[in-house]
Amino acid sequence: MALLLQFQGRGSVESQLFACWTLVEEGREVKESDLQKLIKQLRKFRRFNHALQLCEWISNERNQDPSPGDIAIQLHLISKVHGLEHAEKYFNSIGEFSRDHKVYGALLNCYVENKNLEKAETIMQKMREVGFMKTPLSYNVMLSLYSHLGKHEKLDELMEKMEEMGIAHDIYIYVVFV
């Protein structure tokens, strides 16, 4: 019982991870939501390798298809742990039916984190074509990249595109300009 209490949010990330593995080794049920919380905690504390290992374990041991959200998280973790090339290979291995706005958004984030303007613009165009550019989130990511790279003319173009598409500006857009 003490292990379960630690796993449910008390104690360090390491103790939570240990509690999780202990429960698994004992053959006890570990809820998917608890595993997702643990992955979130590991990511928060920049324990990307451990988070990726847990994602891979879930995929391999649970024998269930991951949700697009799970795929997006794993894609981002692969980029952090193994690099952009491995993340691209993983993305290309994903069936088209599983590639939703979360998965495309995760790949866009990977390109932006690596400051790869050409690939970020290419994936953004693909997202437009498939109808995934309907919220400010992906625009914010691109605006931050343009700002970071000093591409001020691109900032204005993208803001105009948002207005044309009827995408409302949010607080994060204004942060880019400050």
Side-chain angles (χ1 to χ4, degrees):
M1 185 68 160
L3 291 176
L4 186 57
L5 289 176
Q6 283 182 329
F7 181 68
Q8 291 178 340
R10 295 173 181 85
S12 68
V13 173
E14 289 84 4
S15 67
Q16 292 178 42
L17 190 57
F18 176 75
C20 173
W21 291 126
T22 302
L23 292 172
V24 169
E25 286 177 354
E26 292 173 356
R28 294 169 56 191
E29 183 72 22
V30 179
K31 290 189 272 181
E32 189 76 23
S33 61
D34 289 335
L35 293 171
Q36 296 306 327
K37 288 177 192 174
L38 183 53
I39 290 169
K40 186 175 183 177
Q41 285 291 324
L42 289 167
R43 292 173 69 203
K44 177 181 174 183
F45 291 108
R46 305 183 61 76
R47 305 289 297 269
F48 302 120
N49 192 30
H50 292 116
L52 178 59
Q53 289 174 3
L54 186 52
C55 284
E56 291 171 343
W57 177 82
I58 291 169
S59 294
N60 294 334
E61 296 297 320
R62 293 284 170 124
N63 294 326
Q64 62 189 42
D65 292 332
S67 71
D70 295 336
I71 293 169
I73 289 169
Q74 190 163 347
L75 177 65
H76 185 251
L77 289 169
I78 289 169
S79 177
K80 290 284 195 187
V81 174
H82 299 295
L84 191 54
E85 186 176 319
H86 283 72
E88 289 173 320
K89 286 180 185 175
Y90 178 68
F91 178 84
N92 291 329
S93 74
I94 299 165
E96 196 66 42
F97 61 91
S98 295
R99 294 183 192 173
D100 73 354
H101 67 282
K102 293 175 186 175
V103 176
Y104 275 97
L107 184 60
L108 177 62
N109 282 325
C110 294
Y111 290 143
V112 169
E113 286 177 0
N114 285 277
K115 297 173 185 65
N116 191 322
L117 179 61
E118 183 179 326
K119 288 186 176 185
E121 288 178 331
T122 299
I123 202 70
M124 186 173 169
Q125 180 57 38
K126 175 68 174 175
M127 291 173 74
R128 276 192 193 116
E129 291 169 7
V130 296
F132 293 155
M133 294 296 291
K134 295 181 180 177
T135 66
L137 182 60
S138 295
Y139 287 98
N140 293 343
V141 171
M142 286 303 296
L143 288 167
S144 69
L145 178 61
Y146 290 146
S147 177
H148 185 77
L149 296 176
K151 303 282 186 182
H152 301 289
E153 69 285 350
K154 295 277 192 173
L155 287 170
D156 295 334
E157 288 175 25
L158 194 53
M159 291 289 285
E160 288 176 19
K161 185 70 168 173
M162 288 179 71
E163 289 176 18
E164 289 173 16
M165 301 285 294
I167 307 293
H169 298 170
D170 63 8
I171 189 70
Y172 299 106
I173 288 176
Y174 297 107
V175 170
V176 169
F177 288 101
V178 173

